């Protein structure tokens, strides 16, 4: 056992023993080689089913990294270009002055349509065509391309409908064919899980305490109360099997493998060229988020900077975290890709930050 793997296993075991986490996975690749694949705890406390390396976890916004990766794979083979207006591919999206919004704007949360109706339900989210029609007809909060603001759910439908129209297949199938299959992880990396695979997933649970946002929280404008990322929502079979590509389902080792294959070859598979990697990982937005008011430093589809650090201090790291605490990223400077999945939905990212720091220290 390597020193890194031992440190991560000890940390994972302590997180479970202390009750901070119920079950989790941690995986690390370095220069295309897997160097850690750690598991601890229970995937389903009701049955006592343990977490194993091939247990997929539903990961809320960390799935955005999967969707963004699919776009780059399609761009690599010339199926789309980042600066193409979305309306050229999806004409209905051009309504109300959104005709100038580009695919790059979608990747950087700059199309101006982060908001959703307050009465939105999980059933609505599972209806692809309904959601795309709603977003296409939305009036932008700001002129597209002139600012960024977190598109919590709308990111997935905008990018996913572009993918559907370019490839002719649903985004979940395009991702399975273009990303999961070449990486040889078709049973561990999903944008929507086949119904037959549901029994394999970890069961989510909410961390103790009341973490519901107050009525005046900006989060409710982009993730209405009926579709907040809770365990009850994330355990629904219809949600898990639908294409809601702001979220995804994956094992830590599959997510780390995907990010590693953005950096370079993994078992002979490289998802994008070195030239495209420079564009993928380079910051293109450094602005104040118009939804939440925080500083947003974004590359094309990913947040820049290791979780919990100042992006100026870790500018070569790109990835995405999700509500509940899941996280996956890559570092172009060190050749390291890292992912953590967990089933206890925490209100912060302490676990992921702690584990990512351990990995960074060993790089």
């Amino acid at each position: 056992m390597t020193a890194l793997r031992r440190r991560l296993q000890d940390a994972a075991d302590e997180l479970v023993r202390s009750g901070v986490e119920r079950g989790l996975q941690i995986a690390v690749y370095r220069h295309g080689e897997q160097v850690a694949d750690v598991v601890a705890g229970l995937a389903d406390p009701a049955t006592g089913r343990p977490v194993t390396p091939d247990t997929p976890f539903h990961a809320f916004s960390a799935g955005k990294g999967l969707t963004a990766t699919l776009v780059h794979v399609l761009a690599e083979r010339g199926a789309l270009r980042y600066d193409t207006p979305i309306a050229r591919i999806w004409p209905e999206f051009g309504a109300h002055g959104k005709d100038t919004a580009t695919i790059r704007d979608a990747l950087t949360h700059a199309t101006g349509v982060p908001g959703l109706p307050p009465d939105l339900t999980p059933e609505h989210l599972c209806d692809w065509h309904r959601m795309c029609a709603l977003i296409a007809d939305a009036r932008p909060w700001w002129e597209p391309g002139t600012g960024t603001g977190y598109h919590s759910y709308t990111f997935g439908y905008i990018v996913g409908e572009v993918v559907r129209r370019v490839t002719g297949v649903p985004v979940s199938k395009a991702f399975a064919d273009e990303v999961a299959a070449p990486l040889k992880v078709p049973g561990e990396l999903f944008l929507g899980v086949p119904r037959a695979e549901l029994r394999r997933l970890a069961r989510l649970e909410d961390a103790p305490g009341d973490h519901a946002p107050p009525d005046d929280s900006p989060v409710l404008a982009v993730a209405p109360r009926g579709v907040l990322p809770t365990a009850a929502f994330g355990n629904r079979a219809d949600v898990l099997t639908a294409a809601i590509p702001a979220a995804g389902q994956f094992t830590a080792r599959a997510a780390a493998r995907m990010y590693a294959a953005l950096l370079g070859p993994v078992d002979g598979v490289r998802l994008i060229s070195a030239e495209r990697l420079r564009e993928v990982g380079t910051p293109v937005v450094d602005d104040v988020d118009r939804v939440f008011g925080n500083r947003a430093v974004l590359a094309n589809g990913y947040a820049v900077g290791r979780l919990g650090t100042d992006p100026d201090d870790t500018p070569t790291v790109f990835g995405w975290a999700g509500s509940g605490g899941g996280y996956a990223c890559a570092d172009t400077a060190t050749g390291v890709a890292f992912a953590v999945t967990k089933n206890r939905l925490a209100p912060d990212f302490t676990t992921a930050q702690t584990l990512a720091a351990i990995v960074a220290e060993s790089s």
Side-chain angles (χ1 to χ4, degrees):
M1 181 183 291
T2 65
L4 172 61
R5 187 182 184 284
R6 186 177 300 108
R7 285 189 68 190
L8 291 174
Q9 187 68 65
D10 289 346
D13 290 341
E14 176 57 24
L15 286 164
V16 171
R17 187 204 63 76
S18 66
V20 172
E21 302 295 347
R22 178 71 70 181
L24 71 162
Q25 300 168 326
I26 311 157
V28 182
Y29 273 73
R30 182 179 287 121
H31 300 305
E33 297 291 332
Q34 183 179 286
V35 295
D37 186 11
V38 166
V39 301
L42 297 177
D44 186 350
T47 65
R49 175 165 57 97
V51 175
T52 60
D54 65 350
T55 302
F57 286 66
H58 180 69
F60 288 98
S61 287
K64 290 181 172 70
L66 279 61
T67 305
T69 296
L70 173 58
V71 170
H72 299 310
V73 169
L74 293 173
E76 182 70 23
R77 62 177 177 81
L80 54 79
R81 295 180 180 275
Y82 303 123
D83 293 316
T84 298
I86 296 167
R88 191 175 298 171
I89 298 166
W90 175 12
E92 299 91 333
F93 186 82
H96 308 302
K98 302 194 300 298
D99 52 299
T100 60
T102 65
I103 295 171
R104 193 186 304 276
D105 291 333
L107 290 171
T108 55
H109 301 252
T111 64
V113 285
L116 289 170
D119 59 351
L120 201 75
T121 68
E123 290 82 1
H124 295 153
L125 283 185
C126 295
D127 186 335
W128 183 264
H129 296 292
R130 176 179 183 143
M131 290 301 300
C132 288
L134 185 157
I135 293 166
D137 194 46
R139 294 183 180 276
W141 291 11
W142 60 85
E143 181 184 346
T146 64
T148 190
Y150 188 46
H151 288 46
S152 177
Y153 280 113
T154 59
F155 172 95
Y157 295 102
I158 296 169
V159 176
E161 182 65 2
V162 168
V163 167
R164 188 182 77 85
R165 297 207 177 202
V166 165
T167 65
V169 299
V171 62
S172 54
K173 178 168 173 48
F175 182 78
D177 293 346
E178 302 280 355
V179 180
L183 290 174
K184 298 180 175 60
V185 287
E188 298 185 26
L189 200 60
F190 304 99
L191 290 175
V193 176
R195 188 163 292 273
E197 304 283 351
L198 284 173
R199 59 181 178 77
R200 297 177 49 228
L201 265 69
R203 294 287 294 177
L204 304 180
E205 63 178 51
D206 297 314
D210 180 9
H211 306 297
D215 290 342
D216 61 352
S217 172
V219 73
L220 296 177
V222 298
R225 205 171 289 280
V227 294
L228 283 171
T230 64
F233 172 75
N235 285 328
R236 289 176 58 129
D238 58 347
V239 168
L240 293 168
T241 55
I244 305 176
Q249 301 80 28
F250 51 80
T251 64
R253 68 183 183 184
R257 185 177 178 88
M258 183 196 78
Y259 275 96
L262 290 172
L263 297 178
V266 178
D267 294 334
V269 175
R270 182 167 193 167
L271 292 177
I272 59 174
S273 65
E275 292 75 20
R276 189 165 305 276
L277 175 62
R278 283 191 284 274
E279 181 161 14
V280 166
T282 300
V284 293
V285 168
D286 187 346
D287 203 354
V288 175
D289 186 287
R290 297 199 183 193
V291 176
F292 292 106
N294 59 284
R295 182 187 179 198
V297 183
L298 303 176
N300 286 299
Y302 313 94
V304 173
R306 193 177 83 242
L307 190 64
T309 68
D310 188 313
D312 295 333
D313 296 332
T314 54
T316 58
V317 178
F318 66 93
W320 209 272
S323 292
Y327 180 52
C329 67
D331 187 344
T332 59
T334 63
V336 168
F338 162 77
V340 55
T341 57
K342 55 202 282 304
N343 55 357
R344 174 165 282 182
L345 303 181
D348 57 43
F349 295 100
T350 301
T351 289
Q353 290 174 11
T354 300
L355 297 171
I358 292 173
V359 174
E361 290 166 10
S362 73
S363 300

